[in-house]
Amino acid sequence: TQKGSMKPVKKKKTEEPELEPLCCCEYIDRNGEKNHVAACLCDCQDLDEGCDRWITCKSLQPETCERIMDTISDRLRIPWLRGAKKVNISIIPPLVLLPVFLHVASWHFLLGVVVLTSLPVLALWYYYLTHRRKEQTLFFLSLGLFSLGYMYYVFLQEVVPKGRVGPVQLAVLTCGLFLILLALYRAKKNPGYLNPASSDRALSSSQLELLNRKGQEKTKGFPGTDTSGSLNNRTAKDDPRGSSRMPAGSPTKAKEDWCAKCQLVRPARAWHCRICGICVRRMDHHCVWINSCVGESNHQAFILALLIFLLTSVYGITLTLDTICRDRSVFTALFYCPGVYANYSSALSFTCVWYSVIITAGMAYIFLIQLINISYNVTEREVQQALRQKTGRRLLCGLIVDTGQYNRAHL
């Protein structure tokens, strides 16, 4: 045969066995095996061992508890098209515990004091527990959204039928609720993540290795570092929007803002979020209430969501107190409303009012801190960094921290 007539021999591709489609109740578990929703309580040795030790009054090892929780979170699923979907276990506690606690608190005044005092304590304990482990959780997002929905439900069921709330007032409150959800949806979008693939000036492989090696060596004990293995010495002259201001041939200079986790040179005021696992432009903080970072792209939507929530919450509290405690001012009715526990409907409404007051006070504090930081053109992350390094200047009994690094004239 002539060379021109020779055709390249095509190699036969090895045919991979096709997986059978999953029904609505089947799923692939964490071990890579097909499982069924109906078998969620089968073949769980860790759970059996834990129950046996609990019955015999023996202590459980922390590793056993973690394995039990991993198994429960893997098997907690709902039937769905093309396979059962996994449900995050942190969503469930607020949906169950919040109505129970509020109904128990409405039985008596002392029960209300105990329950409404313990709720913020439990929430703070869970926050510090997850924050210390650097884990993402949907608990606070679920708690916030369910609180909005449940407060609105109680308002419709217990307050509106009393006849003191007009259709215009109800429409205003409903519009406020929808605006809150819209602002939260916008705030939960991309806060300004830095994508290594979109960097305009990519460094060579040798420079990457040099930066990684030097960054890991000098991270330990360096005053301007975080735990992600990256140095944080920045100057105010850096461009806040450029993905890389360092020349490609200067790895010594570029290592100052090099993130070993994301493999990129960060712009000024960008930080690596250890919970999200990615760098964010002008990162302010990681907000557990939206389960996302607050950065350059969603900071305004976050402030707007706080403002609309505060206005809507105060308006709803005013309407409720005017209905269940007539002929009294809002502030007086909040602390002195005789006969409110004589009727279970008014008692539940009054309990929900105090729960809303606690949540509103917390959000008002966050809103105040955000306004102060904006007026001084600092982010919460920069404030915490300045306090740790003792480079910031405390004002107004520590409520204001001036880092003195960036211009205060603009956001």
Side-chain angles (χ1 to χ4, degrees):
T1 59
Q2 298 179 358
K3 291 184 179 181
S5 61
M6 293 178 63
K7 295 182 180 180
V9 180
K10 294 183 180 180
K11 296 181 180 181
K12 295 183 179 180
K13 296 182 180 180
T14 56
E15 296 181 358
E16 297 180 356
E18 296 183 358
L19 297 177
E20 297 181 0
L22 300 175
C23 73
C24 61
C25 296
E26 293 179 336
Y27 63 95
I28 305 298
D29 60 13
R30 57 178 180 172
N31 298 323
E33 299 177 356
K34 184 184 292 188
N35 211 330
H36 199 277
V37 173
C40 60
L41 299 178
C42 301
D43 192 18
C44 186
Q45 299 179 358
D46 295 325
L47 184 59
D48 296 339
E49 179 185 354
C51 293
D52 293 339
R53 296 183 70 87
W54 179 73
I55 293 174
T56 55
C57 299
K58 295 181 180 179
S59 60
L60 262 172
Q61 298 295 330
E63 296 81 7
T64 305
C65 295
E66 291 182 2
R67 290 197 300 268
I68 292 175
M69 293 303 298
D70 291 340
T71 303
I72 293 176
S73 61
D74 183 55
R75 297 185 180 184
L76 187 62
R77 298 173 182 262
I78 57 174
W80 203 257
L81 298 176
R82 298 181 181 178
K85 294 294 183 180
K86 188 176 180 180
V87 178
N88 195 313
I89 195 172
S90 60
I91 299 176
I92 299 177
L95 307 182
V96 178
L97 296 179
L98 182 62
V100 173
F101 283 160
L102 291 180
H103 279 277
V104 171
S106 61
W107 290 348
H108 195 270
F109 171 74
L110 294 179
L111 284 175
V113 172
V114 172
V115 171
L116 293 176
T117 305
S118 61
L119 280 177
V121 175
L122 292 175
L124 287 175
W125 170 79
Y126 186 77
Y127 167 74
Y128 284 112
L129 180 65
T130 54
H131 186 72
R132 184 178 59 185
R133 295 180 178 180
K134 301 296 180 292
E135 297 177 351
Q136 280 193 334
T137 176
L138 294 176
F139 176 86
F140 295 96
L141 179 61
S142 174
L143 177 62
L145 293 178
F146 186 67
S147 297
L148 286 175
Y150 191 71
M151 294 302 105
Y152 186 70
Y153 169 77
V154 172
F155 185 82
L156 293 179
Q157 293 293 321
E158 308 296 341
V159 179
V160 174
K162 297 183 184 297
R164 297 275 294 184
V165 178
V168 177
Q169 295 170 323
L170 180 60
V172 171
L173 189 66
T174 305
C175 289
L177 180 63
F178 279 106
L179 288 177
I180 293 173
L181 297 177
L182 184 62
L184 285 177
Y185 173 76
R186 178 62 185 86
K188 186 140 176 59
K189 282 189 173 182
N190 188 348
Y193 293 130
L194 285 171
N195 187 6
S198 63
S199 179
D200 296 334
R201 302 176 182 178
L203 302 178
S204 63
S205 59
S206 60
Q207 291 172 340
L208 294 178
E209 294 177 1
L210 179 61
L211 288 173
N212 285 330
R213 184 169 63 253
K214 291 185 177 181
Q216 292 174 359
E217 289 175 357
K218 298 195 175 184
T219 295
K220 297 181 179 180
F222 198 86
T225 62
D226 57 14
T227 57
S228 63
S230 54
L231 299 178
N232 299 325
N233 289 339
R234 294 177 174 81
T235 61
K237 296 181 181 180
D238 291 337
D239 186 6
R241 293 190 178 273
S243 60
S244 175
R245 295 287 295 173
M246 306 299 178
S250 179
T252 304
K253 189 176 181 181
K255 71 180 180 182
E256 295 178 356
D257 286 322
W258 173 253
C259 179
K261 296 288 185 180
C262 298
Q263 299 289 298
L264 53 81
V265 179
R266 297 175 298 184
R269 313 187 77 175
W271 300 89
H272 182 87
C273 179
R274 293 174 292 177
I275 299 178
C276 295
I278 194 170
C279 289
V280 181
R281 295 181 183 273
R282 202 183 187 276
M283 176 180 171
D284 189 83
H285 68 286
H286 181 90
C287 181
V288 295
W289 293 105
I290 62 176
N291 193 33
S292 177
C293 290
V294 177
E296 183 181 74
S297 301
N298 66 340
H299 200 178
Q300 294 180 352
F302 178 74
I303 297 296
L304 182 62
L306 285 176
L307 178 61
I308 297 175
F309 171 79
L310 292 176
L311 295 177
T312 305
S313 180
V314 171
Y315 186 66
I317 291 171
T318 304
L319 292 178
T320 305
L321 289 177
D322 183 66
T323 301
I324 62 178
C325 300
R326 301 182 181 181
D327 302 329
R328 293 183 183 275
S329 63
V330 175
F331 186 79
T332 304
L334 190 61
F335 292 95
Y336 182 70
C337 186
V340 69
Y341 284 93
N343 185 4
Y344 183 76
S345 175
S346 60
L348 179 61
S349 302
F350 189 72
T351 303
C352 291
V353 163
W354 263 106
Y355 175 75
S356 302
V357 168
I358 294 173
I359 299 296
T360 305
M363 295 299 129
Y365 174 77
I366 296 176
F367 184 69
L368 176 63
I369 295 298
Q370 288 292 315
L371 291 182
I372 292 175
N373 290 344
I374 290 173
S375 64
Y376 279 83
N377 192 27
V378 296
T379 63
E380 186 64 24
R381 183 67 176 81
E382 293 166 353
V383 167
Q384 298 301 325
Q385 188 79 358
L387 292 178
R388 282 196 295 266
Q389 297 179 357
K390 298 181 180 180
T391 58
R393 185 164 58 97
R394 289 178 176 270
L395 303 172
L396 198 62
C397 300
L399 188 62
I400 302 173
V401 177
D402 183 14
T403 60
Q405 188 177 5
Y406 295 99
N407 190 357
R408 305 179 190 175
H410 62 280
L411 177 62

